[in-house]
Protein backbone atom coordinates (compact mmCIF):
# COMPACT_ATOMS: atom_id res chain seq x y z
CA UNK A 1 0.00 0.00 0.00
CA UNK A 2 1.36 3.43 -0.93
CA UNK A 3 2.75 5.49 1.95
CA UNK A 4 3.13 2.66 4.47
CA UNK A 5 6.72 1.91 5.43
CA UNK A 6 7.51 -1.78 5.95
CA UNK A 7 9.79 -1.13 8.91
CA UNK A 8 8.71 -3.69 11.47
CA UNK A 9 10.11 -7.10 12.26
CA UNK A 10 8.11 -9.66 14.23
CA UNK A 11 9.28 -12.50 16.46
CA UNK A 12 6.60 -15.17 16.78
CA UNK A 13 7.53 -17.38 19.72
CA UNK A 14 6.28 -20.95 19.44
CA UNK A 15 8.87 -23.05 21.24
CA UNK A 16 6.85 -23.77 24.37
CA UNK A 17 5.70 -27.21 25.50
CA UNK A 18 2.12 -26.29 26.31
CA UNK A 19 2.11 -28.08 29.66
CA UNK A 20 -1.18 -26.53 30.76
CA UNK A 21 -2.93 -27.69 27.59
CA UNK A 22 -1.99 -31.27 28.40
CA UNK A 23 -2.33 -32.43 24.79
CA UNK A 24 -0.08 -35.00 23.12
CA UNK A 25 0.51 -32.49 20.32
CA UNK A 26 2.17 -29.16 21.22
CA UNK A 27 -0.72 -26.69 21.40
CA UNK A 28 0.70 -24.30 18.78
CA UNK A 29 0.24 -27.07 16.16
CA UNK A 30 -3.34 -27.94 17.12
CA UNK A 31 -5.85 -27.09 14.39
CA UNK A 32 -8.34 -24.23 14.43
CA UNK A 33 -10.57 -24.32 11.36
CA UNK A 34 -8.19 -26.91 9.86
CA UNK A 35 -5.13 -24.66 10.23
CA UNK A 36 -2.43 -24.84 12.92
CA UNK A 37 -2.79 -22.18 15.60
CA UNK A 38 0.73 -20.88 14.96
CA UNK A 39 -0.07 -20.37 11.26
CA UNK A 40 -3.09 -18.24 12.20
CA UNK A 41 -0.82 -16.17 14.47
CA UNK A 42 1.83 -15.66 11.75
CA UNK A 43 -0.80 -14.78 9.14
CA UNK A 44 -2.05 -11.87 11.26
CA UNK A 45 1.35 -10.17 10.64
CA UNK A 46 2.06 -11.55 7.18
CA UNK A 47 -0.98 -9.57 6.00
CA UNK A 48 0.21 -6.21 7.35
CA UNK A 49 2.04 -3.79 5.02
CA UNK A 50 3.97 -2.38 7.98
CA UNK A 51 5.67 -5.75 8.54
CA UNK A 52 8.84 -6.45 6.55
CA UNK A 53 10.12 -9.63 8.16
CA UNK A 54 9.01 -12.37 10.54
CA UNK A 55 11.09 -14.87 12.50
CA UNK A 56 9.39 -17.93 13.94
CA UNK A 57 10.96 -19.53 17.00
CA UNK A 58 10.18 -23.22 17.53
CA UNK A 59 11.40 -26.27 19.42
CA UNK A 60 14.38 -28.06 17.85
CA UNK A 61 12.18 -31.12 17.30
CA UNK A 62 9.72 -29.01 15.30
CA UNK A 63 12.11 -27.21 12.92
CA UNK A 64 11.38 -29.26 9.82
CA UNK A 65 7.61 -29.37 10.12
CA UNK A 66 7.52 -25.64 10.90
CA UNK A 67 9.52 -24.84 7.76
CA UNK A 68 7.14 -27.07 5.82
CA UNK A 69 4.16 -25.09 7.18
CA UNK A 70 5.80 -21.82 6.13
CA UNK A 71 6.05 -23.17 2.58
CA UNK A 72 2.60 -24.78 2.56
CA UNK A 73 0.85 -21.57 3.64
CA UNK A 74 3.02 -19.25 1.50
CA UNK A 75 4.25 -17.19 4.44
CA UNK A 76 6.65 -15.09 2.34
CA UNK A 77 7.69 -12.67 5.09
CA UNK A 78 9.10 -15.46 7.26
CA UNK A 79 12.84 -15.03 6.74
CA UNK A 80 13.91 -17.63 9.29
CA UNK A 81 12.69 -20.42 11.51
CA UNK A 82 15.05 -20.66 14.47
CA UNK A 83 15.37 -22.90 17.51
CA UNK A 84 14.12 -21.55 20.83
CA UNK A 85 15.35 -22.04 24.38
CA UNK A 86 14.15 -23.55 27.62
CA UNK A 87 12.32 -20.36 28.72
CA UNK A 88 10.20 -17.93 26.70
CA UNK A 89 12.77 -15.21 27.32
CA UNK A 90 15.53 -17.31 25.72
CA UNK A 91 13.30 -17.99 22.73
CA UNK A 92 12.61 -14.28 22.27
CA UNK A 93 16.37 -13.56 22.31
CA UNK A 94 17.03 -16.11 19.58
CA UNK A 95 14.33 -14.53 17.45
CA UNK A 96 15.57 -10.97 18.00
CA UNK A 97 19.07 -11.92 16.89
CA UNK A 98 17.67 -13.10 13.55
CA UNK A 99 15.86 -9.79 12.83
CA UNK A 100 17.35 -6.58 11.50
CA UNK A 101 14.40 -4.13 11.50
CA UNK A 102 14.70 -1.02 13.66
CA UNK A 103 11.28 -1.69 15.22
CA UNK A 104 10.18 -5.10 16.47
CA UNK A 105 7.15 -6.83 17.91
CA UNK A 106 7.12 -10.03 19.92
CA UNK A 107 3.97 -12.14 19.59
CA UNK A 108 2.91 -15.43 21.16
CA UNK A 109 2.42 -18.12 18.55
CA UNK A 110 -0.65 -19.15 20.53
CA UNK A 111 -2.54 -15.86 20.16
CA UNK A 112 -4.23 -16.45 16.81
CA UNK A 113 -6.96 -13.83 17.16
CA UNK A 114 -5.16 -10.51 17.36
CA UNK A 115 -6.56 -7.94 14.92
CA UNK A 116 -4.60 -5.62 12.65
CA UNK A 117 -6.40 -2.65 14.25
CA UNK A 118 -5.05 -3.56 17.68
CA UNK A 119 -1.56 -4.26 16.30
CA UNK A 120 -1.51 -0.88 14.52
CA UNK A 121 -2.54 0.92 17.71
CA UNK A 122 0.29 -0.82 19.56
CA UNK A 123 2.85 0.08 16.87
CA UNK A 124 1.75 3.73 16.96
CA UNK A 125 2.05 3.83 20.74
CA UNK A 126 5.51 2.22 20.59
CA UNK A 127 6.71 4.83 18.12
CA UNK A 128 5.66 7.43 20.69
CA UNK A 129 6.99 5.76 23.86
CA UNK A 130 9.68 3.35 22.51
CA UNK A 131 8.02 0.44 24.27
CA UNK A 132 4.33 -0.48 24.24
CA UNK A 133 2.24 -3.59 24.86
CA UNK A 134 -1.33 -4.56 24.12
CA UNK A 135 -3.41 -4.94 27.27
CA UNK A 136 -6.99 -4.88 28.53
CA UNK A 137 -8.34 -3.60 31.86
CA UNK A 138 -9.18 -6.57 34.10
CA UNK A 139 -12.89 -7.21 34.56
CA UNK A 140 -12.70 -9.30 37.73
CA UNK A 141 -11.63 -8.27 41.18
CA UNK A 142 -8.07 -9.57 41.61
CA UNK A 143 -6.85 -10.77 45.01
CA UNK A 144 -3.39 -11.70 46.17
CA UNK A 145 -3.64 -15.00 48.05
CA UNK A 146 -0.95 -16.61 50.24
CA UNK A 147 0.12 -20.27 50.35
CA UNK A 148 -2.61 -21.00 52.95
CA UNK A 149 -5.41 -19.73 50.72
CA UNK A 150 -5.75 -16.53 52.71
CA UNK A 151 -6.39 -13.29 50.87
CA UNK A 152 -3.63 -10.87 51.73
CA UNK A 153 -4.30 -7.98 49.38
CA UNK A 154 -6.95 -6.55 47.06
CA UNK A 155 -5.22 -4.21 44.63
CA UNK A 156 -7.30 -1.36 43.21
CA UNK A 157 -8.77 -2.79 40.01
CA UNK A 158 -8.52 0.57 38.28
CA UNK A 159 -4.76 0.07 38.05
CA UNK A 160 -4.81 -3.55 36.86
CA UNK A 161 -4.43 -4.58 33.23
CA UNK A 162 -4.14 -8.04 31.69
CA UNK A 163 -1.11 -8.00 29.43
CA UNK A 164 -1.16 -9.50 25.94
CA UNK A 165 1.03 -9.63 22.88
CA UNK A 166 2.19 -8.21 20.57
CA UNK A 167 4.64 -6.17 22.58
CA UNK A 168 6.41 -3.55 20.48
CA UNK A 169 9.82 -1.92 20.94
CA UNK A 170 12.74 -0.27 19.27
CA UNK A 171 14.90 -3.34 18.55
CA UNK A 172 18.08 -1.96 20.16
CA UNK A 173 16.19 -1.20 23.40
CA UNK A 174 14.69 -4.68 23.62
CA UNK A 175 17.89 -6.50 22.69
CA UNK A 176 20.04 -4.56 25.16
CA UNK A 177 17.44 -5.07 27.90
CA UNK A 178 17.42 -8.80 27.22
CA UNK A 179 21.23 -8.92 27.29
CA UNK A 180 21.28 -7.18 30.68
CA UNK A 181 18.56 -9.48 32.02
CA UNK A 182 20.57 -12.51 30.91
CA UNK A 183 23.73 -11.14 32.54
CA UNK A 184 21.83 -10.71 35.84
CA UNK A 185 19.97 -14.01 35.60
CA UNK A 186 16.57 -12.27 35.56
CA UNK A 187 13.66 -14.24 34.08
CA UNK A 188 10.26 -12.68 33.42
CA UNK A 189 7.09 -13.91 31.78
CA UNK A 190 6.94 -11.18 29.13
CA UNK A 191 9.18 -8.70 27.34
CA UNK A 192 7.70 -5.64 28.98
CA UNK A 193 9.08 -6.62 32.37
CA UNK A 194 12.57 -6.99 30.89
CA UNK A 195 12.42 -3.43 29.55
CA UNK A 196 10.75 -2.18 32.77
CA UNK A 197 13.73 -3.52 34.73
CA UNK A 198 16.63 -2.92 32.38
CA UNK A 199 15.51 -0.57 29.61
CA UNK A 200 15.41 2.71 31.50
CA UNK A 201 12.28 3.91 29.71
CA UNK A 202 8.64 3.60 30.77
CA UNK A 203 6.70 0.86 29.02
CA UNK A 204 3.19 1.96 28.06
CA UNK A 205 -0.03 0.06 27.37
CA UNK A 206 -2.15 0.25 24.26
CA UNK A 207 -5.72 -0.86 24.95
CA UNK A 208 -6.44 -4.01 23.00
CA UNK A 209 -9.32 -6.45 22.70
CA UNK A 210 -10.58 -9.12 25.11
CA UNK A 211 -10.79 -11.54 22.19
CA UNK A 212 -6.99 -11.62 21.78
CA UNK A 213 -6.81 -14.69 23.98
CA UNK A 214 -3.77 -16.85 24.58
CA UNK A 215 -4.59 -20.51 23.95
CA UNK A 216 -3.44 -21.93 27.25
CA UNK A 217 -5.86 -24.58 28.57
CA UNK A 218 -8.31 -26.92 26.76
CA UNK A 219 -11.30 -24.65 27.41
CA UNK A 220 -9.67 -21.93 25.29
CA UNK A 221 -9.99 -24.02 22.11
CA UNK A 222 -13.78 -23.98 21.59
CA UNK A 223 -13.89 -20.29 22.47
CA UNK A 224 -11.17 -19.51 19.90
CA UNK A 225 -13.01 -21.58 17.29
CA UNK A 226 -16.23 -19.68 18.05
CA UNK A 227 -14.49 -16.31 17.71
CA UNK A 228 -12.89 -17.30 14.39
CA UNK A 229 -16.19 -18.55 13.00
CA UNK A 230 -17.91 -15.35 14.09
CA UNK A 231 -15.31 -13.25 12.24
CA UNK A 232 -15.88 -15.24 9.07
CA UNK A 233 -19.56 -14.22 8.98
CA UNK A 234 -19.01 -10.54 9.88
N1 LIG B 1 10.64 -21.87 26.13
C1 LIG B 1 9.57 -21.28 25.58
C2 LIG B 1 8.36 -21.17 26.30
C3 LIG B 1 7.28 -20.55 25.67
N2 LIG B 1 7.40 -20.11 24.40
C4 LIG B 1 6.23 -19.52 23.71
O1 LIG B 1 5.75 -18.42 24.44
C5 LIG B 1 4.34 -18.31 24.31
C6 LIG B 1 3.80 -18.21 25.73
O2 LIG B 1 2.66 -18.94 25.93
P1 LIG B 1 2.48 -20.10 27.02
O3 LIG B 1 1.02 -20.32 27.08
O4 LIG B 1 3.16 -19.84 28.28
O5 LIG B 1 3.15 -21.34 26.29
P2 LIG B 1 3.84 -22.63 26.92
O6 LIG B 1 5.09 -22.27 27.67
O7 LIG B 1 3.99 -23.55 25.76
O8 LIG B 1 2.72 -23.18 27.90
P3 LIG B 1 2.85 -23.86 29.34
O9 LIG B 1 3.36 -22.77 30.25
O10 LIG B 1 1.48 -24.30 29.66
O11 LIG B 1 3.84 -24.99 29.20
C7 LIG B 1 3.88 -19.54 23.51
O12 LIG B 1 3.65 -19.18 22.17
C8 LIG B 1 5.05 -20.48 23.63
O13 LIG B 1 5.22 -21.39 22.54
C9 LIG B 1 8.60 -20.23 23.71
O14 LIG B 1 8.69 -19.82 22.55
N3 LIG B 1 9.67 -20.81 24.33
C1 LIG C 1 3.58 -12.64 27.21
C2 LIG C 1 2.26 -13.06 27.78
O1 LIG C 1 1.46 -13.63 26.78
C3 LIG C 1 1.51 -11.87 28.29
O2 LIG C 1 0.31 -12.29 28.84
C4 LIG C 1 2.41 -14.01 28.91
O3 LIG C 1 3.05 -13.34 29.95
C5 LIG C 1 3.09 -15.28 28.58
O4 LIG C 1 3.29 -15.91 29.84
P1 LIG C 1 3.26 -17.42 30.11
O5 LIG C 1 3.59 -17.60 31.53
O6 LIG C 1 4.34 -17.96 29.23
O7 LIG C 1 1.89 -17.89 29.80
Amino acid sequence: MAGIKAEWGVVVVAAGRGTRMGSAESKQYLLLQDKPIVVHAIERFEAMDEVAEIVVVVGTQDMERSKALVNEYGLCKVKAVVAGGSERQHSVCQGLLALSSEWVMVHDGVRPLVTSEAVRACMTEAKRSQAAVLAVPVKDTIKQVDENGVIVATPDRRSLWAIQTPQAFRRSLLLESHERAAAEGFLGTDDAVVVERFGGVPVTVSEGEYTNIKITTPDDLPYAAFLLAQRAVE
Side-chain angles (χ1 to χ4, degrees):
M1 197 189 289
I4 292 185
K5 245 169 111 182
E7 58 185 345
W8 286 85
V10 182
V11 177
V12 174
V13 280
R17 282 193 302 273
T19 318
R20 288 169 285 180
M21 180 60 72
S23 52
E25 175 65 285
S26 299
K27 63 181 177 177
Q28 53 272 37
Y29 299 99
L30 295 176
L31 302 182
L32 263 185
Q33 285 188 349
D34 296 329
K35 194 185 284 183
I37 288 170
V38 65
V39 173
H40 283 284
I42 298 167
E43 283 182 340
R44 303 282 78 76
F45 296 90
E46 176 83 23
M48 295 186 70
D49 292 321
E50 294 87 342
V51 172
E53 52 174 355
I54 301 171
V55 169
V56 186
V57 187
V58 303
T60 44
Q61 70 288 355
D62 293 319
M63 293 289 281
E64 292 316 312
R65 71 155 153 172
S66 302
K67 287 179 187 167
L69 286 173
V70 168
N71 288 332
E72 180 184 345
Y73 287 94
L75 302 167
C76 308
K77 292 184 183 173
V78 176
K79 67 181 271 194
V81 177
V82 302
S86 58
E87 302 291 337
R88 184 183 184 281
Q89 204 166 301
H90 304 141
S91 298
V92 172
C93 277
Q94 294 310 309
L96 279 179
L97 292 170
L99 283 179
S100 53
S101 301
E102 185 183 352
W103 292 92
V104 295
M105 286 178 275
V106 180
H107 187 63
D108 292 329
V110 290
R111 286 191 193 265
L113 289 154
V114 72
T115 64
S116 50
E117 291 77 15
V119 175
R120 285 200 176 99
C122 189
M123 292 190 295
T124 302
E125 177 57 18
K127 283 286 187 78
R128 193 193 66 75
S129 70
Q130 311 278 309
V133 303
L134 277 186
V136 285
V138 299
K139 297 185 197 179
D140 295 323
T141 294
I142 305 289
K143 306 265 185 193
Q144 191 182 340
V145 180
D146 73 11
E147 61 281 8
N148 301 314
V150 175
I151 294 170
V152 292
T154 305
D156 184 347
R157 187 170 61 197
R158 287 172 298 180
S159 70
L160 295 175
W161 291 66
I163 302 302
Q164 305 175 342
T165 66
Q167 304 196 342
F169 311 87
R170 192 180 282 280
R171 179 178 175 273
S172 55
L173 171 68
L174 184 58
L175 191 54
E176 283 162 25
S177 302
H178 269 283
E179 284 166 354
R180 288 192 195 133
E184 298 213 9
F186 172 81
L187 271 184
T189 56
D190 73 347
D191 299 285
V193 70
V194 172
V195 176
E196 288 160 41
R197 286 242 185 168
F198 301 100
V201 299
V203 181
T204 57
V205 294
S206 174
E207 185 159 356
E209 296 163 331
Y210 289 98
T211 51
N212 179 22
I213 61 168
K214 180 161 73 68
I215 309 283
T216 305
T217 50
D219 53 327
D220 293 323
L221 287 168
Y223 182 47
F226 164 77
L227 290 169
L228 263 186
Q230 202 182 32
R231 282 184 194 175
V233 294
E234 277 170 5

